[in-house]
Amino acid sequence: MKSFRILCALLIIGLSCFFFVPKAWAFCGFYVAKADAKLYNQASQVAIARSGDHTVLTMANDYQGEVKDFAIVVPVPTVLQKEQVKVSDPKIIERLDAFSAPRLVEYFDPDPCETIDDRVLRMPMPSAPMSEANEAVRSRQGSLGVTVEAKFTVGEYDILILSAKESGGLETWLVENGYKIPRGAKQLLKPYIRQKLKFFVAKVNLNEFDKAGFQSLRPLQITYDSPRFMLPIRLGMINAQAAQDLIVYILSPKGQAEVTNYRTVKVPSDSEVPLFVKDEFSHFYKSMFDKSYDREDRKVAFLEYAWNMGNCDPCSAEPLNPEELKQAGVFWLEGSEPVVMPRGRRRPVVSSDVFITRLHVRYTRDKFPEDLMFQETNQQETFQGRYVLRHPFNGKTDCPAGRRYQRSLRQRFEEQAQTLARLTGWNIDEIRKKQPRVQSQLPWWQDALMSIAGM
């Protein structure tokens, strides 16, 4: 019976720790903190659910200001109808963020003097409706080369779908119709017009906004068909005061998604860091990201997470349930309602998994002159930005293995300090001051003699 219990415990260890090969005395741990999008002052979030040419795009902006001044202009590949636009629950973006955020995990060294049998037997289980345009306005639109292809209201947003013949005319039309367009828009609009893209324009319907009693703007979700898998980011650079952070969650039935026109680099991961980072995790992650961003010459997309959404290990948040996945735009799950695609076609649903790729792009106009182009892959390799705390054993260690363990801690703490300095650029001496001191439990001379003897 004792052998059976040991076998069961070992199986639990194997299943709960498959993602992590611990160093000596390491112990399975648990998630303790996460680095989510709230770390950044200017961070937009976009969720893209895509299978084949079918795309559901959810946009959550970080707009700060008067609601009446809000407007968004997004190039889209086709004329969208009202059925293809909806307002999404902001909690869905928050759930995607929490599930995929880089995380800090915690491990505890066991008693080095304890036998393996004793250890496994005591091991815990892992734990403004729009007014109609008059004839004069219509005539003015025609002279500017702008056509209103569709016009409707969805939730608290008034939506226009525009086509244009030239960027100057579109810029003028937007200004004359009350949209505050920053300088430089003309040049950035021109490539989209050359590609014959349409423009999805949204502003807040103040009556609907006030009537609903919202405190902030909700994400907009659009559905469309296009062989091009891309995300326009250049228009977002027009009024940027500094580099902007963009978090992209790509949901696919196949596997990882990747950026094709810029390099994709994994964030540093699986590093063991000093214990005090637990209280400074936000500061640590921002510093580490800044350091990585500069090292890569500020022109790469960073992979922060890639995983099948049916599970997680360790979990920084519970996986999204089928209803939440549906709200995030996943239309291929069995039991989901078919999604209305252009021209009234309905996408049939099929049974499939959902793989999430979380990409973090910090962009400026000089380093990201092109929009982001993606491709789906069949790559199912998992990855997570994960940083490890390893607590030393604090009990008595009056056995040969325990004495060797105590002497190893000084080197371990120094390696952690050097790792942290390398990742963040922080001062190594300041890091060392925050590290715990190793106190020997033996007289100095006995400790020295045993060290010489290799005990």
Side-chain angles (χ1 to χ4, degrees), residues 66-103:
E66 292 290 334
V67 171
K68 64 181 177 60
D69 296 329
F70 172 83
I72 185 171
V73 180
V74 180
V76 291
T78 186
V79 174
L80 303 179
Q81 303 304 319
K82 184 173 183 178
E83 294 77 15
Q84 294 170 252
V85 182
K86 62 178 288 189
V87 180
S88 183
D89 186 345
K91 291 182 180 178
I92 296 305
I93 294 291
E94 293 173 8
R95 292 280 285 119
L96 291 171
D97 184 21
F99 177 80
S100 61
R103 71 276 326 261

Coordinates of all heavy atoms in Angstrom, one line a residue, residues 66-103:
E66 N -12.5 63.2 -23.2 CA -13.9 63.4 -23.3 C -14.5 62.4 -24.3 O -14.0 62.3 -25.5 CB -14.2 64.8 -23.7 CG -13.8 65.9 -22.7 CD -14.7 65.8 -21.4 OE1 -15.9 65.3 -21.6 OE2 -14.3 66.2 -20.4
V67 N -15.6 61.8 -23.9 CA -16.2 60.8 -24.8 C -16.7 61.4 -26.1 O -16.6 60.9 -27.2 CB -17.4 60.1 -24.1 CG1 -18.2 59.3 -25.1 CG2 -16.9 59.3 -22.9
K68 N -17.1 62.7 -26.0 CA -17.6 63.4 -27.2 C -16.5 63.6 -28.3 O -16.8 63.8 -29.5 CB -18.2 64.7 -26.8 CG -17.2 65.7 -26.2 CD -17.9 67.0 -25.8 CE -16.9 68.0 -25.2 NZ -15.8 68.4 -26.1
D69 N -15.3 63.5 -27.9 CA -14.1 63.8 -28.8 C -13.6 62.5 -29.4 O -12.7 62.5 -30.3 CB -13.0 64.5 -28.1 CG -13.3 65.9 -27.6 OD1 -14.2 66.5 -28.3 OD2 -12.8 66.3 -26.6
F70 N -14.1 61.3 -29.0 CA -13.6 60.1 -29.4 C -14.1 59.8 -30.9 O -15.2 60.0 -31.2 CB -14.1 58.9 -28.5 CG -13.8 57.5 -29.1 CD1 -12.5 57.0 -28.8 CD2 -14.7 56.8 -29.8 CE1 -12.2 55.7 -29.3 CE2 -14.3 55.6 -30.3 CZ -13.1 55.0 -30.1
A71 N -13.1 59.3 -31.7 CA -13.4 58.8 -33.0 C -12.3 57.8 -33.4 O -11.2 58.0 -33.0 CB -13.5 59.9 -34.0
I72 N -12.6 56.8 -34.1 CA -11.7 55.8 -34.6 C -11.8 55.6 -36.1 O -13.0 55.5 -36.6 CB -11.8 54.5 -33.8 CG1 -10.6 53.6 -34.2 CG2 -13.1 53.9 -34.0 CD1 -10.6 52.3 -33.3
V73 N -10.7 55.6 -36.8 CA -10.7 55.3 -38.2 C -9.9 54.1 -38.5 O -8.7 54.1 -38.2 CB -10.2 56.5 -39.0 CG1 -10.2 56.2 -40.5 CG2 -11.0 57.7 -38.7
V74 N -10.5 53.0 -39.0 CA -9.7 51.7 -39.2 C -9.9 51.3 -40.7 O -11.1 51.1 -41.1 CB -10.3 50.6 -38.3 CG1 -9.5 49.3 -38.5 CG2 -10.1 51.1 -36.8
P75 N -8.8 51.1 -41.4 CA -9.0 50.5 -42.7 C -9.5 49.1 -42.7 O -9.1 48.3 -41.8 CB -7.5 50.5 -43.3 CG -6.8 51.5 -42.4 CD -7.5 51.4 -41.1
V76 N -10.5 48.7 -43.5 CA -11.1 47.4 -43.6 C -11.1 47.0 -45.0 O -11.2 47.8 -45.9 CB -12.5 47.4 -42.9 CG1 -12.4 47.6 -41.4 CG2 -13.4 48.4 -43.6
P77 N -11.1 45.6 -45.3 CA -11.0 45.2 -46.7 C -12.2 45.3 -47.5 O -12.2 45.1 -48.7 CB -10.5 43.7 -46.5 CG -11.0 43.3 -45.2 CD -11.0 44.5 -44.3
T78 N -13.4 45.5 -46.8 CA -14.6 45.4 -47.6 C -15.7 46.3 -46.9 O -15.5 46.7 -45.7 CB -15.1 44.0 -47.6 OG1 -16.3 43.9 -48.5 CG2 -15.5 43.4 -46.3
V79 N -16.8 46.5 -47.6 CA -17.9 47.3 -47.0 C -18.6 46.4 -45.9 O -19.0 45.3 -46.2 CB -18.9 47.7 -48.0 CG1 -20.1 48.4 -47.4 CG2 -18.2 48.7 -49.0
L80 N -18.6 46.9 -44.7 CA -19.3 46.1 -43.6 C -20.7 46.5 -43.5 O -21.1 47.7 -43.6 CB -18.6 46.4 -42.3 CG -17.1 46.1 -42.2 CD1 -16.5 46.4 -40.9 CD2 -16.8 44.6 -42.6
Q81 N -21.6 45.6 -43.2 CA -23.0 45.8 -43.0 C -23.2 45.8 -41.4 O -22.4 45.4 -40.7 CB -23.9 44.8 -43.6 CG -23.7 44.7 -45.1 CD -23.9 46.0 -45.8 OE1 -24.8 46.8 -45.5 NE2 -23.1 46.4 -46.8
K82 N -24.4 46.3 -41.0 CA -24.6 46.5 -39.6 C -24.5 45.1 -38.9 O -24.0 45.1 -37.7 CB -26.0 47.0 -39.4 CG -26.4 47.3 -37.9 CD -27.7 48.0 -37.8 CE -28.0 48.3 -36.3 NZ -29.3 49.1 -36.2
E83 N -24.9 44.0 -39.5 CA -24.9 42.7 -38.9 C -23.4 42.2 -38.6 O -23.2 41.3 -37.8 CB -25.6 41.7 -39.8 CG -27.1 41.9 -39.9 CD -27.4 43.0 -40.9 OE1 -26.5 43.4 -41.7 OE2 -28.6 43.4 -40.9
Q84 N -22.5 42.9 -39.2 CA -21.1 42.5 -39.1 C -20.4 43.3 -38.0 O -19.2 43.1 -37.8 CB -20.3 42.6 -40.4 CG -20.8 41.7 -41.5 CD -20.2 42.0 -42.8 OE1 -20.9 42.5 -43.7 NE2 -18.9 41.8 -43.0
V85 N -21.1 44.2 -37.3 CA -20.5 45.0 -36.3 C -21.3 44.9 -35.0 O -22.5 44.9 -35.0 CB -20.5 46.5 -36.7 CG1 -19.8 47.4 -35.7 CG2 -19.8 46.7 -38.1
K86 N -20.6 44.7 -33.9 CA -21.3 44.6 -32.6 C -20.4 45.3 -31.5 O -19.2 45.5 -31.8 CB -21.6 43.2 -32.3 CG -20.4 42.3 -32.1 CD -20.8 40.9 -31.7 CE -21.2 40.8 -30.3 NZ -21.4 39.4 -29.8
V87 N -21.0 45.6 -30.4 CA -20.2 46.1 -29.3 C -20.0 44.9 -28.3 O -20.9 44.1 -28.1 CB -21.0 47.2 -28.5 CG1 -20.2 47.7 -27.3 CG2 -21.3 48.3 -29.5
S88 N -18.7 44.8 -27.9 CA -18.3 43.6 -27.1 C -18.2 43.9 -25.6 O -18.0 45.1 -25.3 CB -17.0 43.1 -27.7 OG -16.6 41.9 -27.0
D89 N -18.3 42.9 -24.8 CA -18.1 43.1 -23.4 C -16.6 43.2 -23.1 O -15.8 42.4 -23.4 CB -18.6 41.8 -22.7 CG -18.6 41.9 -21.2 OD1 -18.0 42.8 -20.6 OD2 -19.3 41.1 -20.5
P90 N -16.3 44.3 -22.4 CA -14.8 44.5 -22.1 C -14.2 43.5 -21.2 O -13.0 43.3 -21.2 CB -14.8 45.9 -21.4 CG -16.2 46.1 -20.9 CD -17.1 45.4 -21.9
K91 N -15.1 42.7 -20.5 CA -14.5 41.7 -19.6 C -13.9 40.6 -20.5 O -13.0 39.8 -19.9 CB -15.6 41.1 -18.8 CG -16.1 42.0 -17.7 CD -17.2 41.4 -16.8 CE -17.7 42.4 -15.8 NZ -18.8 41.8 -14.9
I92 N -14.3 40.4 -21.7 CA -13.7 39.3 -22.5 C -12.2 39.6 -22.8 O -11.3 38.8 -22.7 CB -14.5 39.2 -23.9 CG1 -15.9 38.7 -23.5 CG2 -13.8 38.2 -24.8 CD1 -15.9 37.4 -22.7
I93 N -11.9 40.9 -23.2 CA -10.5 41.3 -23.4 C -9.7 41.1 -22.1 O -8.6 40.7 -22.1 CB -10.4 42.7 -23.9 CG1 -11.1 42.8 -25.3 CG2 -9.0 43.2 -23.9 CD1 -10.3 42.1 -26.4
E94 N -10.4 41.5 -20.9 CA -9.7 41.4 -19.6 C -9.4 39.9 -19.4 O -8.3 39.6 -18.8 CB -10.6 41.9 -18.5 CG -10.7 43.5 -18.6 CD -11.8 44.0 -17.6 OE1 -12.2 43.2 -16.8 OE2 -12.1 45.2 -17.7
R95 N -10.3 39.0 -19.7 CA -10.1 37.6 -19.5 C -8.9 37.0 -20.4 O -8.1 36.2 -19.9 CB -11.4 36.8 -19.8 CG -12.5 37.0 -18.8 CD -12.3 36.2 -17.5 NE -12.6 34.8 -17.8 CZ -11.8 33.8 -17.7 NH1 -10.5 34.0 -17.3 NH2 -12.2 32.6 -17.9
L96 N -8.9 37.5 -21.6 CA -7.8 37.0 -22.5 C -6.5 37.5 -22.0 O -5.5 36.8 -22.0 CB -8.0 37.6 -23.9 CG -9.2 36.9 -24.7 CD1 -9.4 37.7 -26.0 CD2 -8.9 35.5 -25.0
D97 N -6.5 38.8 -21.5 CA -5.3 39.4 -20.9 C -4.8 38.6 -19.7 O -3.6 38.2 -19.6 CB -5.5 40.8 -20.5 CG -4.3 41.6 -20.0 OD1 -3.2 41.1 -20.3 OD2 -4.5 42.6 -19.3
A98 N -5.7 38.3 -18.8 CA -5.4 37.6 -17.5 C -4.9 36.2 -17.8 O -3.9 35.7 -17.2 CB -6.6 37.6 -16.6
F99 N -5.5 35.5 -18.8 CA -5.2 34.1 -19.1 C -3.8 34.0 -19.7 O -3.0 33.1 -19.4 CB -6.2 33.5 -20.0 CG -5.9 32.1 -20.5 CD1 -6.1 31.0 -19.6 CD2 -5.3 31.9 -21.7 CE1 -5.8 29.7 -20.0 CE2 -5.0 30.6 -22.1 CZ -5.2 29.5 -21.2
S100 N -3.4 35.0 -20.5 CA -2.1 34.9 -21.2 C -1.0 35.8 -20.7 O 0.1 35.8 -21.3 CB -2.4 35.3 -22.7 OG -2.8 36.6 -22.8
A101 N -1.2 36.5 -19.6 CA -0.2 37.4 -19.1 C 1.1 36.7 -18.6 O 1.0 35.6 -18.1 CB -0.8 38.2 -18.0
P102 N 2.3 37.3 -18.8 CA 3.5 36.7 -18.2 C 3.3 36.6 -16.7 O 2.7 37.5 -16.1 CB 4.5 37.7 -18.6 CG 4.0 38.4 -19.9 CD 2.5 38.4 -19.7
R103 N 3.8 35.5 -16.2 CA 3.6 35.3 -14.8 C 4.8 34.9 -13.9 O 5.8 34.5 -14.5 CB 2.5 34.2 -14.6 CG 2.9 32.7 -15.0 CD 2.8 32.4 -16.5 NE 1.7 33.0 -17.2 CZ 0.6 32.4 -17.5 NH1 0.3 31.2 -17.1 NH2 -0.3 33.1 -18.3

